[in-house]
Amino acid sequence: MKIRWLSPFVRRLALREWLMLFISLLALALALGWQNGLGRLDQSLYDFFISVDSKPVRDDIIIVAIDDYSLSQLGRWPWSRTLHADLINKLNKAKPRAIGLDVILSETEPPQADGSRPGDKKLTAALMQSKRAVLPVVMTTAGRGLTIGLPIPEFADAAHALGHINLEHDTDGVVRSAFLYEGQNGKVWPHFAAALLETGENIQYSGASTPPVNNSTSS
């Protein structure tokens, strides 16, 4: 005797329920995708887990910010290369493990009447004396593909390392990730922070040394 596990009515009912469930889930997925709901949910979960696993702020990193107060005291931006050189020289005396000069230096200073550039010369000397400075590499896409903005050759040769400062902002404007390496035509640079870390780890000193210093503009 042949046993019929499901009657035609039950099979039709099950098929209808599965079809309705499929259509509902598909509509939900389309709605969430259209409104980027899944992306926002992923970002919220990521932020939550990061906050749960948060660690104390390190006390071996010093940020010398170029903020409104410093502009009011030292004058409007851009500052002279001599001023940056004086800062590097002062930091050199403290023997930090690394110095990150997060200032774009892709152009020379305006030459004087005799064609000399004393500010560039002084900053180059300060970078060479430091032997632990990291300078930024800027990458832009202005409709002509990726363009690399390097420091002028004098500064690039005098710096200990170069690092890119590109950041990827999520849809809510928060930076949650960064490319560890980025470049073009076979030439790549580590991220600015990674270059600072590597510089600090590679440079050895006899006796005590002060924390790494990041001299940067504030956002």
Side-chain angles (χ1 to χ4, degrees):
M1 178 179 179
K2 186 176 181 181
I3 300 177
R4 301 179 60 187
W5 293 99
L6 295 175
S7 65
F9 173 75
V10 175
R11 289 200 297 270
R12 287 196 300 270
L13 182 61
L15 179 61
R16 183 179 303 173
E17 290 179 350
W18 278 108
L19 183 60
M20 292 176 62
L21 179 61
F22 171 76
I23 294 175
S24 299
L25 292 176
L26 179 61
L28 178 61
L30 291 175
L32 290 175
W34 179 57
Q35 295 292 336
N36 196 28
L38 293 176
R40 287 198 296 269
L41 176 61
D42 178 70
Q43 293 168 359
S44 299
L45 289 175
Y46 179 87
D47 293 342
F48 171 75
F49 287 118
I50 288 294
S51 64
V52 170
D53 191 37
S54 61
K55 299 178 181 179
V57 178
R58 296 181 56 163
D59 59 358
D60 60 346
I61 298 176
I62 299 174
I63 297 179
V64 182
I66 301 174
D67 53 14
D68 292 337
Y69 176 77
S70 56
L71 292 173
S72 66
Q73 296 297 310
L74 301 175
R76 66 181 183 179
W77 191 263
W79 291 340
S80 68
R81 302 288 167 81
T82 300
L83 187 60
H84 292 301
D86 290 339
L87 174 59
I88 296 295
N89 287 329
K90 290 181 180 179
L91 295 175
N92 286 339
K93 295 178 181 179
K95 294 186 177 180
R97 292 192 294 273
I99 300 175
L101 184 61
D102 191 6
V103 177
I104 299 174
L105 301 169
S106 57
E107 297 180 356
T108 61
E109 68 175 343
Q112 295 187 352
D114 59 357
S116 63
R117 295 182 284 116
D120 285 352
K121 183 178 180 180
K122 187 174 181 179
L123 182 53
T124 299
L127 293 171
M128 292 183 66
Q129 182 182 4
S130 171
K131 299 179 181 179
R132 69 204 71 173
V134 178
L135 298 182
V137 176
V138 183
M139 301 182 186
T140 58
T141 54
R144 298 172 295 179
L146 188 65
T147 301
I148 309 296
L150 294 170
I152 62 174
E154 298 99 306
F155 297 159
D157 293 339
H160 180 271
L162 303 178
H164 80 83
I165 55 174
N166 286 15
L167 295 175
E168 292 292 329
H169 293 80
D170 290 336
T171 54
D172 58 355
V174 177
V175 176
R176 295 181 176 87
S177 61
F179 289 105
L180 187 58
Y181 291 90
E182 195 165 357
Q184 187 182 43
N185 299 328
K187 178 64 175 178
V188 297
W189 294 270
H191 190 272
F192 191 77
L196 272 172
L197 178 62
E198 183 179 0
T199 299
E201 290 179 343
N202 289 342
I203 295 180
Q204 302 293 329
Y205 296 102
S206 58
S209 62
T210 57
V213 175
N214 182 13
N215 175 221
S216 62
T217 54
S218 58
S219 57

